[in-house]
Amino acid sequence: MLDLIVRGGTVVTASETFRADIGVTDEKISHIAAAGSLDGLVGDTTKVIEAEGKYVMPGLIEPHMHVKAPFSNTIDMLDFYTASKCAAFGGVTSFMDFSTTTKDTPVLKAVEERIGEMAEGALDYSVHAKFITAGNDPDELRNTVKTLVEKGVPTFKMFTIYPGVMIQDADILRIMEVAKEEGALCGFHAESNDIAQFMTQKLVSEGKTGWEYFNQAKPNACEAEAVNRILTFAGLLDAPVYFYHLSAKESVNLVREAKKRGVRVQAETCGHYLTLTEANNKGVDGINYLMSPPLRSEEDRKAMWEGIKDGTLSLVTSDNEVFSRKIKEKDLEIDGDTGEKIPCFTTPVNGIPGLEERFGLLMIGVNNGDISLNKLVEVGSTNPAKVFGCYPQKGCLAVGSDADLIVVDPEKNVPLVRENLHYPDELDYNLYEGFVSRGWPVCTVRRGEVLVENGEFKGKRNSGRLLRRRLKR
């Protein structure tokens, strides 16, 4: 007898759409069969989910989020259990975060600490190793990379901006070369530190400190210069590279052209760059929309959709890091005459929610005709699993794969505002006021266990499982 049957739904994968029943045994998909053909395998303990008139999709994978992440002497408001709740309501069944590597906490130790923190969640999980230096000992670097790959942590992140975590170019080259040889993938937060510092100093000296000037402090060239530099390194070493959160049309064009030259590059954008623009940074609420890289023009927004459609961009992620407005404003100066807080784009912490909203933002794209349902699955589930080394265990609906799936009601309308989402009450603003997703997950299943059903979160603390990932070479 089966443990679970999802009956009568329209199965949507990255490449196919068809009607079928899905059967689950021992946490794995054991049957994909014609609708109604699994009824004889229903036993006394079989859980049956009726999916007639609904879509059945692989659970989303969130490979880019920041939870319990220190930023400017504060920390975001989620832990990994509360993040699991938000994620599961948004159709996510696995997520990945980053090690908090510092000069006092080396990479391997930071990875182990982050794995321990993530274990409290209800989703399956993994970690990307953040490097801030290559160190002085080539043998130690190789041993570190080799150990990470053996532990199932073959994906890294490096910053080309922010003193304290920013890594030097010479170290990037050394790590990229070793990573290539050991079967790892280097990913980058690509922004030019020098351009950002120059523009920030220039704007502040001119008295231009309102929220809208944050975008000018990090213009398109700030991202494109760093992207071009990393692509040059990748071409030199014939090493694979990945870019987090691309936002500028120039960056997309650079990646597109690099792919044509044979550079092994993959890249993502985020839901906010597909839906919001720099216009959101204007006015008194502009502080709510500060993130790095910043929001850009309508032309850039459209370029992100084009990059998804033609395959230049492989993933859409959330880059979730949730701070309340109260926290964002904590270091602002007070006007002595008016008592009002003085806007200054250099002061607030950066970061926005998006973990729960990502499915809805992509679904808006489906309903607007920007992408198909199959493309939604591709960029939200299948490609994250392939890029980050957990396919076909995750990211697909196939016999033998983990039974991670969502049931989506195509007619359920969900405005993407606080009262419909599951962030802590301290979140005191709506980022996506006016955005409504037609189509929403009504049931989320992780390894055959129901996490969300009938509007109720059923996930258990410490029930997630560490993903040991391996990249195809």
Side-chain angles (χ1 to χ4, degrees), residues 100-324:
T100 307
T101 308
T102 68
K103 60 184 177 65
D104 299 318
T105 309
V107 176
L108 291 176
K109 181 180 179 183
V111 166
E112 289 303 321
E113 289 179 351
R114 187 53 111 191
I115 287 173
E117 292 171 341
M118 295 191 77
E120 72 173 339
L123 302 191
D124 289 350
Y125 60 95
S126 190
V127 178
H128 307 293
K130 183 170 71 179
F131 279 81
I132 61 174
T133 178
N136 299 316
D137 185 340
D139 291 335
E140 182 179 353
L141 172 61
R142 185 170 297 276
N143 287 336
T144 295
V145 172
K146 187 185 294 286
T147 299
L148 288 167
V149 171
E150 290 172 350
K151 285 178 173 289
V153 182
T155 50
F156 308 158
K157 186 178 185 182
M158 289 173 268
F159 287 79
T160 62
I161 192 171
Y162 306 134
V165 297
M166 182 177 70
I167 189 167
Q168 300 300 309
D169 285 355
D171 283 354
I172 291 173
L173 286 162
R174 291 170 60 197
I175 295 168
M176 283 177 64
E177 183 174 49
V178 175
K180 170 193 170 182
E181 294 168 354
E182 298 296 338
L185 173 67
C186 293
F188 294 90
H189 177 132
E191 292 182 290
S192 167
N193 192 68
D194 288 341
I195 290 175
Q197 287 191 341
F198 173 80
M199 291 301 299
T200 297
Q201 292 167 3
K202 183 176 187 296
L203 290 163
V204 170
S205 70
E206 295 171 353
K208 298 176 179 178
T209 60
W211 310 128
E212 67 271 23
Y213 293 107
F214 180 75
N215 311 77
Q216 296 182 33
K218 290 184 170 185
N220 285 32
C222 180
E223 180 178 284
E225 185 280 329
V227 168
N228 188 59
R229 187 171 6 128
I230 297 302
L231 287 171
T232 301
F233 295 170
L236 173 69
L237 298 175
D238 187 26
V241 293
Y242 183 84
F243 289 107
Y244 294 97
H245 50 46
L246 292 190
S247 62
K249 60 183 183 294
E250 293 88 346
S251 301
V252 176
N253 287 333
L254 285 165
V255 170
R256 185 179 286 118
E257 292 306 311
K259 283 177 176 282
K260 292 177 182 177
R261 297 194 304 272
V263 177
R264 293 187 286 160
V265 55
Q266 298 176 90
E268 68 175 51
T269 191
C270 302
H272 39 282
Y273 302 124
L274 293 171
T275 50
L276 305 172
T277 70
E278 59 195 359
N280 292 101
N281 287 113
K282 297 178 180 178
V284 295
D285 293 328
I287 187 174
N288 297 334
Y289 294 87
L290 296 186
M291 81 287 290
S292 293
L295 296 173
R296 304 200 184 277
S297 69
E298 177 67 8
E299 185 179 359
D300 291 295
R301 188 189 73 81
K302 290 178 178 178
M304 298 304 112
W305 282 114
E306 288 302 316
I308 292 170
K309 284 188 279 191
D310 70 14
T312 302
L313 299 174
S314 300
L315 280 72
V316 176
T317 70
S318 73
D319 194 8
N320 177 90
E321 189 168 11
V322 188
F323 298 100
S324 66

Side-chain angles (χ1 to χ4, degrees), residues 13-15 59 61 63 96 128 154-155 183 185 240 242 266 314-315 374 377-397 467 469-473:
T13 72
S15 58
I61 298 170
M96 303 175 193
H128 307 293
T155 50
L185 173 67
Y242 183 84
Q266 298 176 90
S314 300
L315 280 72
N374 305 100
V377 172
E378 180 184 335
V379 300
S381 185
T382 303
N383 282 351
K386 289 181 175 180
V387 169
F388 292 112
C390 55
Y391 183 89
Q393 179 185 357
K394 304 289 186 183
C396 61
L397 298 178
L467 291 170
R469 301 175 287 118
R470 183 167 296 277
L471 304 180
K472 290 187 176 181
R473 303 179 69 172

Side-chain angles (χ1 to χ4, degrees), residues 10 21 56 60 116 193-194 240 293 333 339 343 347 363 383 403 411 426 439-440 472:
T10 299
D21 288 354
V56 181
L60 271 64
N193 192 68
D194 288 341
E333 294 184 5
T347 303
M363 199 68 197
N383 282 351
E411 300 304 323
E426 290 80 9
W440 192 257
K472 290 187 176 181

